[in-house]
Amino acid sequence: MEDSLPGGEWVVHLYHAVLTRSVRIYWLLEELGIQYAIVPVVFTPPGQPGGVRSEKTPEHLAVSPLGKVPAIRDGDVTMFESGAILEYLIERYGNGRFAPKPGERQRGAYLQWVHFAEATFQRALDDIFSHEHARAQEERILSVATDARERATAAVDVLESALNGRNYLLGAELSGADIMMGYTLLSSKYFGVLTDQRRNASAYLAHLLARPAFRKALSP
Ligand SMILES: N[C@@H](CCC(=O)N[C@@H](CS)C(=O)NCC(=O)O)C(=O)O
């Protein structure tokens, strides 16, 4: 695989599987408008013992020791963890777009939403996915799924009030926080956690889905 373009310009390689968290980074790369290459990662179908897992090839494990997506290679830098990759790519290629700078007033809110999307909200959705879909029937635990639904619903409620009168989490412009959250919120809709009654969160998701970059990242 080529690592650079003619002229020595680096290409970011993204390890991606359709409809997984690597959608976030695919979407960001599109918004940044930089050169990138997708390295497809194959997943086992749901319902297997232990749940859905990626096929862990040596090449993939070299950039992501647990064989997860997203992972990137950018020249001699390799990284895993979607939030960390997002912050890195915005710092390196954002030219001042998609994040308030360190020390700016909105920096705290930005970091809060970037991390809430994965650490709190997506975790609850993972438990729903795992205990309602991904694991074999005999491995599913109803109380874990029920508790996860309560946690995910509470997370949607937090967003519902935060988005009052706003198009994006920080106000008028898209930031990396929306890219982290957009994937999570879309997943919550698939699982029936986000419903039309949550008007602000639903309008926000529709607004995000109107962006060609998000739609491209969701394509099969
Ligand atoms: N906190 C990590 C989670 C990564 C993760 O669990 N990715 C899932 C796909 S959404 C995965 O690769 N699962 C395959 C496996 O665990 O083998 C991140 O945000 O990047």
Side-chain angles (χ1 to χ4, degrees):
M1 193 179 303
E2 290 291 311
D3 269 345
S4 61
L5 293 172
E9 199 182 334
W10 287 111
V11 176
V12 175
H13 287 73
L14 169 64
Y15 290 77
H16 169 64
V18 176
L19 297 183
T20 67
R21 287 165 169 92
S22 52
V23 163
R24 292 170 173 154
I25 307 304
Y26 195 163
W27 176 8
L28 174 63
L29 288 166
E30 277 289 312
E31 298 278 1
L32 289 169
I34 61 172
Q35 293 284 343
Y36 64 86
I38 299 289
V39 184
V41 174
V42 177
F43 272 59
T44 59
Q48 308 295 311
V52 175
R53 292 283 175 266
S54 66
E55 232 177 48
K56 299 179 196 306
T57 63
E59 188 204 349
H60 183 195
L61 289 170
V63 293
S64 174
L66 297 177
K68 290 182 183 279
V69 292
I72 60 159
R73 192 153 50 82
D74 179 22
D76 58 1
V77 173
T78 62
M79 286 183 77
F80 49 91
E81 281 298 328
S82 59
I85 295 169
L86 175 125
E87 288 187 49
Y88 165 84
L89 290 175
I90 289 174
E91 279 169 23
R92 184 154 155 78
Y93 299 109
N95 288 324
R97 298 166 301 160
F98 306 122
K101 291 187 181 57
E104 283 184 359
R105 195 181 61 81
Q106 285 207 298
R107 181 75 179 177
Y110 167 74
L111 293 172
Q112 168 193 287
W113 293 123
V114 164
H115 294 281
F116 178 82
E118 174 62 21
T120 301
F121 193 176
Q122 190 75 49
R123 280 291 303 127
L125 299 174
D126 279 354
D127 286 343
I128 295 174
F129 180 58
S130 186
H131 289 275
E132 291 185 5
H133 303 277
R135 289 171 180 268
Q137 285 288 351
E138 64 276 14
E139 291 181 358
R140 297 179 193 177
I141 303 170
L142 178 64
S143 60
V144 173
T146 304
D147 175 68
R149 281 196 171 271
E150 284 171 15
R151 288 185 284 128
T153 303
V156 171
D157 288 342
V158 167
L159 273 185
E160 181 67 12
S161 28
L163 287 165
N164 219 0
R166 283 165 186 256
N167 278 341
Y168 296 108
L169 284 166
L170 299 187
E173 285 184 19
L174 179 87
S175 75
D178 301 298
I179 293 179
M180 289 296 289
M181 195 68 81
Y183 170 76
T184 306
L185 202 54
L186 182 62
S187 314
S188 80
K189 192 173 163 79
Y190 283 138
F191 295 132
V193 174
L194 172 65
T195 61
D196 293 346
Q197 285 144 317
R198 298 288 177 273
R199 284 166 177 256
N200 294 337
S202 296
Y204 169 67
L205 180 60
H207 195 63
L208 296 179
L209 284 167
R211 298 189 76 94
F214 190 12
R215 289 204 306 278
K216 177 158 187 188
L218 291 169
S219 60

